[in-house]
Protein backbone atom coordinates (compact mmCIF):
# COMPACT_ATOMS: atom_id res chain seq x y z
CA UNK A 1 0.00 0.00 0.00
CA UNK A 2 1.79 3.16 -1.13
CA UNK A 3 -0.07 5.62 1.13
CA UNK A 4 -1.41 5.34 4.61
CA UNK A 5 -2.37 7.67 7.42
CA UNK A 6 -1.35 6.85 10.93
CA UNK A 7 -3.06 8.67 13.77
CA UNK A 8 -1.24 9.61 16.91
CA UNK A 9 -2.43 7.72 19.96
CA UNK A 10 -3.98 10.91 21.33
CA UNK A 11 -5.90 11.61 18.14
CA UNK A 12 -7.09 7.99 17.93
CA UNK A 13 -8.46 8.22 21.45
CA UNK A 14 -9.97 11.63 20.68
CA UNK A 15 -11.63 10.15 17.57
CA UNK A 16 -13.15 7.28 19.58
CA UNK A 17 -14.48 9.74 22.17
CA UNK A 18 -15.91 12.09 19.54
CA UNK A 19 -17.59 9.18 17.75
CA UNK A 20 -18.98 7.90 21.05
CA UNK A 21 -20.34 11.35 21.91
CA UNK A 22 -22.04 11.62 18.51
CA UNK A 23 -23.91 8.37 19.07
CA UNK A 24 -24.59 9.23 22.71
CA UNK A 25 -26.42 12.45 21.82
CA UNK A 26 -28.27 10.77 18.97
CA UNK A 27 -30.12 8.21 21.04
CA UNK A 28 -27.55 5.89 22.59
CA UNK A 29 -24.28 4.11 22.02
CA UNK A 30 -24.27 0.70 23.66
CA UNK A 31 -21.49 -0.57 25.91
CA UNK A 32 -18.92 -1.57 23.29
CA UNK A 33 -17.41 1.88 22.64
CA UNK A 34 -17.03 2.47 26.38
CA UNK A 35 -15.16 -0.80 26.79
CA UNK A 36 -13.10 0.01 23.66
CA UNK A 37 -12.13 3.33 25.21
CA UNK A 38 -11.04 1.62 28.43
CA UNK A 39 -9.00 -0.97 26.51
CA UNK A 40 -7.32 1.69 24.37
CA UNK A 41 -6.34 3.69 27.43
CA UNK A 42 -4.77 0.60 28.96
CA UNK A 43 -2.93 -0.41 25.77
CA UNK A 44 -1.66 2.92 24.43
CA UNK A 45 0.91 5.41 25.68
CA UNK A 46 -0.90 8.73 25.73
CA UNK A 47 0.27 12.27 26.39
CA UNK A 48 -2.56 13.48 28.65
CA UNK A 49 -1.88 17.16 27.94
CA UNK A 50 -2.37 16.69 24.18
CA UNK A 51 -5.54 14.64 24.70
CA UNK A 52 -6.89 17.19 27.18
CA UNK A 53 -6.24 20.01 24.72
CA UNK A 54 -8.05 18.18 21.91
CA UNK A 55 -11.01 17.35 24.14
CA UNK A 56 -11.21 20.86 25.59
CA UNK A 57 -11.24 22.47 22.16
CA UNK A 58 -14.06 20.14 21.10
CA UNK A 59 -15.92 20.70 24.39
CA UNK A 60 -15.78 16.98 25.14
CA UNK A 61 -13.62 16.95 28.26
CA UNK A 62 -16.46 16.56 30.78
CA UNK A 63 -18.10 13.88 28.65
CA UNK A 64 -14.78 12.01 28.46
CA UNK A 65 -14.33 12.17 32.23
CA UNK A 66 -17.83 10.77 32.78
CA UNK A 67 -17.28 7.95 30.30
CA UNK A 68 -13.98 7.10 32.00
CA UNK A 69 -15.77 7.01 35.36
CA UNK A 70 -18.41 4.69 33.91
CA UNK A 71 -15.77 2.37 32.45
CA UNK A 72 -13.93 2.31 35.79
CA UNK A 73 -17.16 1.38 37.57
CA UNK A 74 -17.86 -1.47 35.17
CA UNK A 75 -14.34 -2.80 34.77
CA UNK A 76 -12.47 -1.78 37.92
CA UNK A 77 -15.25 -1.85 40.57
CA UNK A 78 -15.12 1.87 41.33
CA UNK A 79 -17.96 3.62 43.21
CA UNK A 80 -20.95 5.18 41.45
CA UNK A 81 -21.70 8.89 41.31
CA UNK A 82 -25.17 10.29 40.50
CA UNK A 83 -24.27 11.54 37.03
CA UNK A 84 -22.56 8.28 36.08
CA UNK A 85 -25.53 6.25 37.34
CA UNK A 86 -27.80 8.29 35.06
CA UNK A 87 -25.36 7.82 32.19
CA UNK A 88 -25.31 4.07 32.78
CA UNK A 89 -29.13 3.89 32.75
CA UNK A 90 -29.21 5.89 29.50
CA UNK A 91 -26.61 3.61 27.85
CA UNK A 92 -28.10 0.32 29.02
CA UNK A 93 -31.71 1.23 28.23
CA UNK A 94 -30.82 2.62 24.83
CA UNK A 95 -29.52 -0.63 23.40
CA UNK A 96 -26.75 -0.85 20.84
CA UNK A 97 -28.07 1.83 18.50
CA UNK A 98 -30.11 3.86 20.93
CA UNK A 99 -33.81 4.49 20.87
CA UNK A 100 -35.93 7.04 19.10
CA UNK A 101 -37.28 8.13 22.48
CA UNK A 102 -33.76 8.89 23.74
CA UNK A 103 -32.97 10.78 20.56
CA UNK A 104 -36.10 12.91 20.87
CA UNK A 105 -35.45 13.62 24.56
CA UNK A 106 -31.88 14.71 23.84
CA UNK A 107 -33.00 16.91 20.94
CA UNK A 108 -35.71 18.49 23.10
CA UNK A 109 -33.14 19.33 25.73
CA UNK A 110 -30.79 20.81 23.11
CA UNK A 111 -33.63 22.99 21.80
CA UNK A 112 -34.63 24.10 25.32
CA UNK A 113 -38.01 22.40 25.49
CA UNK A 114 -40.66 20.42 23.71
CA UNK A 115 -42.26 23.37 21.95
CA UNK A 116 -39.01 24.65 20.43
CA UNK A 117 -38.23 21.10 19.25
CA UNK A 118 -41.66 20.72 17.64
CA UNK A 119 -41.39 24.09 15.89
CA UNK A 120 -37.93 23.15 14.60
CA UNK A 121 -39.27 19.83 13.27
CA UNK A 122 -42.33 21.42 11.61
CA UNK A 123 -40.53 24.46 10.19
CA UNK A 124 -37.24 23.06 9.01
CA UNK A 125 -34.49 25.63 8.40
CA UNK A 126 -33.76 26.59 4.79
CA UNK A 127 -30.20 25.23 5.03
CA UNK A 128 -31.55 21.72 5.64
CA UNK A 129 -34.63 22.06 3.45
CA UNK A 130 -32.63 22.93 0.32
CA UNK A 131 -30.86 19.55 0.45
CA UNK A 132 -34.12 17.64 0.75
CA UNK A 133 -35.83 19.71 -1.97
CA UNK A 134 -33.18 21.18 -4.32
CA UNK A 135 -35.83 22.88 -6.44
CA UNK A 136 -36.30 25.51 -3.72
CA UNK A 137 -32.83 26.85 -4.41
CA UNK A 138 -34.14 28.31 -7.69
CA UNK A 139 -37.74 28.76 -6.53
CA UNK A 140 -37.56 29.99 -2.96
CA UNK A 141 -41.23 30.96 -3.06
CA UNK A 142 -42.04 27.23 -2.76
CA UNK A 143 -40.94 27.19 0.87
CA UNK A 144 -44.08 26.64 2.96
Amino acid sequence: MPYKYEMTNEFLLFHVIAHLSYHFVNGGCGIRPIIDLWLLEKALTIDKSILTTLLSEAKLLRFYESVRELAAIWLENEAYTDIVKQMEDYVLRGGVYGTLRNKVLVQQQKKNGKMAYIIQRVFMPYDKLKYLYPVIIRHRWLIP
Side-chain angles (χ1 to χ4, degrees):
M1 186 163 143
Y3 302 101
K4 68 178 179 178
Y5 179 79
E6 292 184 13
M7 292 184 203
T8 63
N9 290 345
E10 296 80 15
F11 191 77
L12 174 62
L13 202 55
F14 169 76
H15 175 74
V16 170
I17 295 160
H19 190 88
L20 172 61
S21 72
Y22 171 80
H23 285 286
F24 191 85
V25 299
N26 283 298
C29 61
I31 62 171
R32 172 81 189 265
I34 297 168
I35 294 170
D36 287 346
L37 180 65
W38 184 83
L39 290 171
L40 283 170
E41 283 192 326
K42 297 296 180 193
L44 301 175
T45 304
I46 298 165
D47 184 338
K48 292 286 186 185
S49 64
I50 294 172
L51 180 62
T52 301
T53 301
L54 288 169
L55 292 169
S56 295
E57 288 176 5
K59 296 180 176 54
L60 290 172
L61 188 57
R62 181 67 188 121
F63 176 75
Y64 167 68
E65 291 167 350
S66 296
V67 170
R68 283 188 73 211
E69 286 179 44
L70 182 56
I73 289 166
W74 286 350
L75 302 164
E76 298 173 11
N77 295 322
E78 294 291 327
Y80 278 94
T81 61
D82 288 338
I83 189 79
V84 176
K85 182 63 178 156
Q86 291 173 12
M87 182 182 243
E88 179 186 61
D89 289 343
Y90 180 81
V91 169
L92 295 178
R93 291 174 194 224
V96 175
Y97 300 110
T99 63
L100 182 59
R101 181 179 183 277
N102 281 354
K103 184 176 183 173
V104 169
L105 289 172
V106 168
Q107 295 302 318
Q108 285 176 356
Q109 191 142 16
K110 284 170 95 175
K111 300 292 180 193
N112 296 323
K114 285 183 181 180
M115 198 59 173
Y117 173 74
I118 291 169
I119 289 171
Q120 183 264 332
R121 294 285 295 169
V122 172
F123 301 104
M124 191 178 296
Y126 174 74
D127 290 338
K128 290 184 180 180
L129 206 55
K130 70 182 179 185
Y131 292 110
L132 292 172
Y133 306 101
V135 71
I136 68 170
I137 296 170
R138 285 184 280 127
H139 303 288
R140 200 166 178 145
W141 56 270
L142 290 173
I143 296 174

Short mmCIF file of all heavy atoms in Angstrom, two decimals, residues 3-5 19 23-25 34-35 45 50 57 59-60 62 64 71 78 90 97 102 113 121 132 137:
data_model
loop_
_atom_site.label_atom_id
_atom_site.label_comp_id
_atom_site.label_asym_id
_atom_site.label_seq_id
_atom_site.Cartn_x
_atom_site.Cartn_y
_atom_site.Cartn_z
N TYR A 3 0.28 4.52 0.24
CA TYR A 3 -0.07 5.62 1.13
C TYR A 3 -0.87 5.10 2.32
O TYR A 3 -1.70 4.22 2.17
CB TYR A 3 -0.92 6.67 0.42
CG TYR A 3 -0.26 7.24 -0.80
CD1 TYR A 3 -0.61 6.80 -2.06
CD2 TYR A 3 0.72 8.22 -0.67
CE1 TYR A 3 -0.01 7.32 -3.19
CE2 TYR A 3 1.33 8.74 -1.79
CZ TYR A 3 0.97 8.30 -3.05
OH TYR A 3 1.58 8.82 -4.15
N LYS A 4 -0.60 5.66 3.44
CA LYS A 4 -1.41 5.34 4.61
C LYS A 4 -1.32 6.50 5.59
O LYS A 4 -0.37 7.28 5.57
CB LYS A 4 -1.00 4.04 5.27
CG LYS A 4 0.36 4.05 5.94
CD LYS A 4 0.61 2.71 6.58
CE LYS A 4 1.97 2.70 7.24
NZ LYS A 4 2.23 1.44 7.93
N TYR A 5 -2.33 6.62 6.41
CA TYR A 5 -2.37 7.67 7.42
C TYR A 5 -2.36 7.01 8.77
O TYR A 5 -3.18 6.14 9.06
CB TYR A 5 -3.63 8.53 7.26
CG TYR A 5 -3.72 9.61 8.31
CD1 TYR A 5 -2.98 10.77 8.18
CD2 TYR A 5 -4.52 9.45 9.42
CE1 TYR A 5 -3.04 11.76 9.14
CE2 TYR A 5 -4.59 10.42 10.39
CZ TYR A 5 -3.85 11.58 10.25
OH TYR A 5 -3.89 12.56 11.20
N HIS A 19 -16.62 10.08 18.38
CA HIS A 19 -17.59 9.18 17.75
C HIS A 19 -18.60 8.68 18.79
O HIS A 19 -19.81 8.64 18.54
CB HIS A 19 -16.85 8.01 17.11
CG HIS A 19 -17.71 7.17 16.25
ND1 HIS A 19 -17.92 7.43 14.92
CD2 HIS A 19 -18.43 6.05 16.52
CE1 HIS A 19 -18.74 6.52 14.41
NE2 HIS A 19 -19.07 5.67 15.36
N HIS A 23 -22.86 9.38 18.90
CA HIS A 23 -23.91 8.37 19.07
C HIS A 23 -24.66 8.59 20.38
O HIS A 23 -25.87 8.38 20.44
CB HIS A 23 -23.33 6.97 19.02
CG HIS A 23 -22.98 6.55 17.62
ND1 HIS A 23 -23.93 6.20 16.69
CD2 HIS A 23 -21.79 6.47 16.99
CE1 HIS A 23 -23.34 5.91 15.55
NE2 HIS A 23 -22.04 6.07 15.71
N PHE A 24 -23.96 9.00 21.41
CA PHE A 24 -24.59 9.23 22.71
C PHE A 24 -25.68 10.28 22.61
O PHE A 24 -26.77 10.09 23.14
CB PHE A 24 -23.52 9.65 23.72
CG PHE A 24 -24.01 9.66 25.14
CD1 PHE A 24 -23.99 8.51 25.90
CD2 PHE A 24 -24.48 10.83 25.72
CE1 PHE A 24 -24.44 8.50 27.21
CE2 PHE A 24 -24.93 10.85 27.02
CZ PHE A 24 -24.91 9.68 27.77
N VAL A 25 -25.42 11.39 21.91
CA VAL A 25 -26.42 12.45 21.82
C VAL A 25 -27.47 12.17 20.75
O VAL A 25 -28.44 12.91 20.65
CB VAL A 25 -25.80 13.85 21.57
CG1 VAL A 25 -24.89 14.23 22.70
CG2 VAL A 25 -25.09 13.91 20.25
N ILE A 34 -17.55 2.13 25.05
CA ILE A 34 -17.03 2.47 26.38
C ILE A 34 -15.95 1.48 26.78
O ILE A 34 -14.89 1.87 27.30
CB ILE A 34 -18.18 2.52 27.40
CG1 ILE A 34 -19.15 3.65 27.00
CG2 ILE A 34 -17.65 2.73 28.82
CD1 ILE A 34 -20.46 3.65 27.74
N ILE A 35 -16.18 0.22 26.50
CA ILE A 35 -15.16 -0.80 26.79
C ILE A 35 -13.96 -0.60 25.86
O ILE A 35 -12.81 -0.73 26.30
CB ILE A 35 -15.76 -2.21 26.66
CG1 ILE A 35 -16.81 -2.41 27.76
CG2 ILE A 35 -14.68 -3.28 26.75
CD1 ILE A 35 -17.65 -3.66 27.62
N THR A 45 0.20 4.36 24.95
CA THR A 45 0.91 5.41 25.68
C THR A 45 0.35 6.74 25.19
O THR A 45 0.41 7.03 23.99
CB THR A 45 2.42 5.34 25.41
OG1 THR A 45 2.89 4.04 25.75
CG2 THR A 45 3.15 6.39 26.21
N ILE A 50 -1.90 16.58 25.57
CA ILE A 50 -2.37 16.69 24.18
C ILE A 50 -3.83 16.26 24.09
O ILE A 50 -4.65 16.94 23.47
CB ILE A 50 -1.48 15.85 23.24
CG1 ILE A 50 -0.07 16.43 23.18
CG2 ILE A 50 -2.09 15.78 21.84
CD1 ILE A 50 0.92 15.56 22.43
N GLU A 57 -10.88 21.69 23.34
CA GLU A 57 -11.24 22.47 22.16
C GLU A 57 -12.55 21.99 21.53
O GLU A 57 -13.30 22.78 20.97
CB GLU A 57 -10.11 22.44 21.13
CG GLU A 57 -8.90 23.25 21.55
CD GLU A 57 -7.75 23.15 20.58
OE1 GLU A 57 -7.90 22.53 19.50
OE2 GLU A 57 -6.68 23.70 20.90
N LYS A 59 -14.94 20.67 23.30
CA LYS A 59 -15.92 20.70 24.39
C LYS A 59 -16.41 19.30 24.76
O LYS A 59 -17.59 19.07 25.00
CB LYS A 59 -17.10 21.61 24.04
CG LYS A 59 -16.69 23.07 23.87
CD LYS A 59 -17.86 23.95 23.52
CE LYS A 59 -17.52 25.40 23.44
NZ LYS A 59 -16.44 25.79 22.58
N LEU A 60 -15.46 18.37 24.81
CA LEU A 60 -15.78 16.98 25.14
C LEU A 60 -15.10 16.49 26.42
O LEU A 60 -15.21 15.33 26.77
CB LEU A 60 -15.38 16.05 23.99
CG LEU A 60 -16.20 16.14 22.72
CD1 LEU A 60 -15.57 15.32 21.61
CD2 LEU A 60 -17.62 15.69 22.98
N ARG A 62 -15.58 17.05 29.71
CA ARG A 62 -16.46 16.56 30.78
C ARG A 62 -17.12 15.23 30.39
O ARG A 62 -17.26 14.33 31.21
CB ARG A 62 -17.52 17.62 31.13
CG ARG A 62 -18.45 17.20 32.23
CD ARG A 62 -17.72 17.08 33.57
NE ARG A 62 -18.60 16.50 34.57
CZ ARG A 62 -18.35 15.36 35.22
NH1 ARG A 62 -17.24 14.71 35.04
NH2 ARG A 62 -19.22 14.90 36.09
N TYR A 64 -15.85 13.00 28.37
CA TYR A 64 -14.78 12.01 28.46
C TYR A 64 -14.56 11.56 29.91
O TYR A 64 -14.44 10.36 30.17
CB TYR A 64 -13.50 12.60 27.87
CG TYR A 64 -12.25 11.82 28.17
CD1 TYR A 64 -12.04 10.56 27.62
CD2 TYR A 64 -11.26 12.35 28.98
CE1 TYR A 64 -10.88 9.85 27.88
CE2 TYR A 64 -10.09 11.66 29.24
CZ TYR A 64 -9.91 10.41 28.70
OH TYR A 64 -8.76 9.71 28.95
N ALA A 71 -16.60 3.53 32.77
CA ALA A 71 -15.77 2.37 32.45
C ALA A 71 -15.07 1.85 33.70
O ALA A 71 -14.98 0.63 33.89
CB ALA A 71 -14.75 2.75 31.38
N GLU A 78 -15.13 0.56 40.66
CA GLU A 78 -15.12 1.87 41.33
C GLU A 78 -16.53 2.18 41.83
O GLU A 78 -17.50 1.52 41.47
CB GLU A 78 -14.66 2.96 40.35
CG GLU A 78 -13.22 2.82 39.91
CD GLU A 78 -12.22 3.10 41.02
OE1 GLU A 78 -12.50 3.95 41.88
OE2 GLU A 78 -11.17 2.44 41.03
N TYR A 90 -28.98 5.42 30.88
CA TYR A 90 -29.21 5.89 29.50
C TYR A 90 -28.56 4.93 28.49
O TYR A 90 -29.18 4.55 27.51
CB TYR A 90 -28.62 7.29 29.36
CG TYR A 90 -28.78 7.90 27.99
CD1 TYR A 90 -29.98 8.49 27.61
CD2 TYR A 90 -27.72 7.93 27.09
CE1 TYR A 90 -30.12 9.07 26.36
CE2 TYR A 90 -27.85 8.51 25.84
CZ TYR A 90 -29.05 9.08 25.49
OH TYR A 90 -29.19 9.64 24.25
N TYR A 97 -27.94 0.68 19.39
CA TYR A 97 -28.07 1.83 18.50
C TYR A 97 -28.89 2.96 19.09
O TYR A 97 -29.17 3.93 18.42
CB TYR A 97 -28.68 1.40 17.17
CG TYR A 97 -27.83 0.36 16.48
CD1 TYR A 97 -28.28 -0.95 16.37
CD2 TYR A 97 -26.60 0.68 15.96
CE1 TYR A 97 -27.51 -1.91 15.76
CE2 TYR A 97 -25.81 -0.28 15.35
CZ TYR A 97 -26.27 -1.57 15.24
OH TYR A 97 -25.50 -2.52 14.64
N ASN A 102 -34.95 8.21 23.23
CA ASN A 102 -33.76 8.89 23.74
C ASN A 102 -33.33 10.02 22.82
O ASN A 102 -32.96 11.09 23.28
CB ASN A 102 -32.60 7.91 23.91
CG ASN A 102 -32.71 7.06 25.15
OD1 ASN A 102 -33.59 7.26 25.97
ND2 ASN A 102 -31.81 6.11 25.29
N GLY A 113 -36.60 22.70 25.24
CA GLY A 113 -38.01 22.40 25.49
C GLY A 113 -38.71 21.73 24.34
O GLY A 113 -38.25 21.71 23.21
N ARG A 121 -38.95 20.99 14.12
CA ARG A 121 -39.27 19.83 13.27
C ARG A 121 -40.30 20.19 12.20
O ARG A 121 -40.23 19.73 11.08
CB ARG A 121 -39.82 18.68 14.13
CG ARG A 121 -38.83 18.09 15.08
CD ARG A 121 -37.82 17.21 14.44
NE ARG A 121 -38.48 16.06 13.87
CZ ARG A 121 -37.90 15.19 13.06
NH1 ARG A 121 -36.67 15.35 12.70
NH2 ARG A 121 -38.57 14.18 12.59
N LEU A 132 -33.02 18.59 0.95
CA LEU A 132 -34.12 17.64 0.75
C LEU A 132 -34.91 17.96 -0.52
O LEU A 132 -35.39 17.06 -1.20
CB LEU A 132 -35.05 17.66 1.95
CG LEU A 132 -34.48 17.11 3.25
CD1 LEU A 132 -35.44 17.36 4.41
CD2 LEU A 132 -34.20 15.63 3.13
N ILE A 137 -33.97 25.96 -4.23
CA ILE A 137 -32.83 26.85 -4.41
C ILE A 137 -33.14 27.87 -5.50
O ILE A 137 -32.87 29.06 -5.36
CB ILE A 137 -31.55 26.05 -4.74
CG1 ILE A 137 -31.18 25.16 -3.55
CG2 ILE A 137 -30.40 26.99 -5.10
CD1 ILE A 137 -30.08 24.16 -3.84
#
